[in-house]
Amino acid sequence: METLLVFKSSYSNKFWKISVAENSFAVTYGRIGTAGTVRVKEFPSIEACEKEAYRLIESKLKKGYQPAEKLEQVVVESTMTESSFWQLVDRCGDYGEDSLDHMEWLVSHLSKKPVLDILIFDSIFKEHYAKSYQANLWAAASIAMGGCSDDSFDYFRAWILYLGKEVYYEAIDDPESLLPYLLLLQEQEGIPQLEELLFVASSAYEEKTGQEFEEYLKLYDQLMEEDDSGLGIDLDWDEDDEEGLRNMFPTLWEAFHENPL
C-alpha cells in the first residue's frame, strides 16, 4: 500500500507519502519538488502496522492534506544513476592519498545527497557486487593472495569495483586483466581488498541522519525490495590443485605463486 498526500497553501507547499510493506512502513515527507526525508517504523504485526498507517493517513487528511494526482509532479526521483555511480567511484580517487582517504571522501559526498540517492547508490553497488561472485574470480584471488577465505573474497570483489567500470567489466570477462593492478599493490606492499567500500552507503546515511546501521538496513529493505536469496557459487577448482590453478591463470600463477600478496 502506498499513499501520497500534498498540502498547498500561501505559506506551505509540502508532501507526505507512506509506503507499507508487511509489518513496517516508510514515511517520506518534505517540500514538493525535493526527494524529502525518509523514516521507517517497524511493528510487531502486519495488523498493527496497517492500523497505524491508516491512522496517520486520516490524521493528515484532517489537517488539510489532499491526495496527489501524479507522483512525478510532487516527489523528485533520485538523480543517482548507473552513470553517476561510476562517476563517483572514479572521482573519489582524486581526493586523498590512499583508498581509505578515497572512501572518506565518498562517504562525505554521499552524505550531502538525499537519502534516496544513498540507497540507490548502494543498490547499484550491490547489483555489480553480486555479479562479481564468480568462481573464476575467486580462483584468481586465491592465486594472488596465496589463499582466499569467504571474507577475503568479499573484500577482493569490493576492491575490483573500486578500480572503476572498465577494469571491473574486464575482470569479469578475464581475471588475468587484473595483473597490472595486483603488481602495483605488490610494489606498494598492499593487498587487493577494500572492506570499507561495503559500508560507504550506510556510513553516509549515518553521517547524514545520525541513525545507526540497523536503521539503515531496515530502510534499505523497505524501499529497495531486493531478493538475493538466489546468490550462490559452484567452485570448479581446488586451492590444493596447483596444476589446475596454473592452467586456469598461468600469468597470475607465474607472478604470485611463490610470492603472494
Side-chain angles (χ1 to χ4, degrees):
M1 181 187 76
E2 183 170 283
T3 299
L4 176 64
L5 305 175
V6 295
F7 184 89
K8 298 181 180 181
S9 68
S10 57
Y11 57 87
S12 183
N13 193 36
K14 53 189 178 181
F15 71 90
W16 182 88
K17 183 178 73 169
I18 187 167
S19 303
V20 180
E22 297 185 349
N23 67 324
S24 67
F25 61 59
V27 171
T28 308
Y29 59 92
R31 181 169 53 83
I32 289 175
T34 69
T37 299
V38 186
R39 293 288 184 268
V40 169
K41 189 171 183 179
E42 198 168 0
F43 295 84
S45 68
I46 294 175
E47 293 75 13
C49 178
E50 291 180 347
K51 182 178 179 181
E52 178 63 10
Y54 283 120
R55 187 193 70 78
L56 290 174
I57 292 170
E58 288 299 319
S59 175
K60 290 296 181 183
L61 291 172
K62 289 178 180 178
K63 291 179 180 179
Y65 279 79
Q66 298 292 325
E69 294 183 1
K70 293 184 178 180
L71 179 63
E72 63 270 17
Q73 294 179 347
V74 177
V75 185
V76 172
E77 299 297 334
S78 172
T79 59
M80 185 62 63
T81 63
E82 175 89 11
S83 176
S84 55
F85 167 83
W86 287 116
Q87 287 174 6
L88 284 176
V89 171
D90 289 339
R91 282 186 62 193
C92 74
D94 296 332
Y95 299 88
E97 298 180 355
D98 56 32
S99 60
L100 295 183
D101 288 341
H102 303 160
M103 294 303 97
E104 288 182 7
W105 177 87
L106 193 51
V107 168
S108 177
H109 185 80
L110 277 175
S111 70
K112 297 177 177 63
K113 292 184 173 294
V115 169
L116 187 58
D117 279 13
I118 297 174
L119 294 170
I120 293 179
F121 176 93
D122 204 11
S123 178
I124 295 171
F125 169 79
K126 284 180 167 62
E127 177 185 352
H128 292 298
Y129 187 65
K131 288 179 181 177
S132 68
Y133 195 59
Q134 299 187 8
N136 61 344
L137 274 175
W138 203 332
S142 184
I143 293 172
M145 292 186 286
C148 185
S149 67
D150 291 10
D151 288 345
S152 292
F153 186 48
D154 287 344
Y155 309 151
F156 178 80
R157 291 153 56 212
W159 172 75
I160 294 174
L161 274 160
Y162 162 71
L163 295 177
K165 182 178 179 179
E166 292 184 5
V167 176
Y168 164 80
Y169 278 109
E170 191 172 2
I172 294 293
D173 292 334
D174 176 18
E176 289 207 306
S177 65
L178 292 170
L179 181 62
Y181 306 95
L182 293 168
L183 290 175
L184 180 60
L185 281 180
Q186 190 175 55
E187 293 177 7
Q188 300 170 341
E189 298 184 347
I191 56 174
Q193 298 184 17
L194 189 56
E195 179 182 2
E196 291 76 12
L197 184 54
L198 300 175
F199 303 102
V200 159
S202 58
S203 297
Y205 176 80
E206 182 176 351
E207 187 171 311
K208 182 178 185 67
T209 66
Q211 297 188 35
E212 299 297 327
F213 179 68
E214 290 74 14
E215 296 302 315
Y216 174 77
L217 290 181
K218 290 179 183 178
L219 182 61
Y220 186 91
D221 290 341
Q222 172 80 23
L223 297 182
M224 294 296 102
E225 300 180 349
E226 293 181 352
D227 179 15
D228 59 0
S229 58
L231 190 63
I233 194 169
D234 182 18
L235 295 182
D236 55 0
W237 52 272
D238 186 339
E239 65 180 352
D240 295 324
D241 180 10
E242 293 190 355
E243 183 178 355
L245 289 174
R246 180 169 60 246
N247 291 335
M248 282 183 72
F249 300 119
T251 306
L252 289 176
W253 181 265
E254 181 65 26
F256 299 109
H257 80 281
E258 291 184 352
N259 187 27
L261 296 169

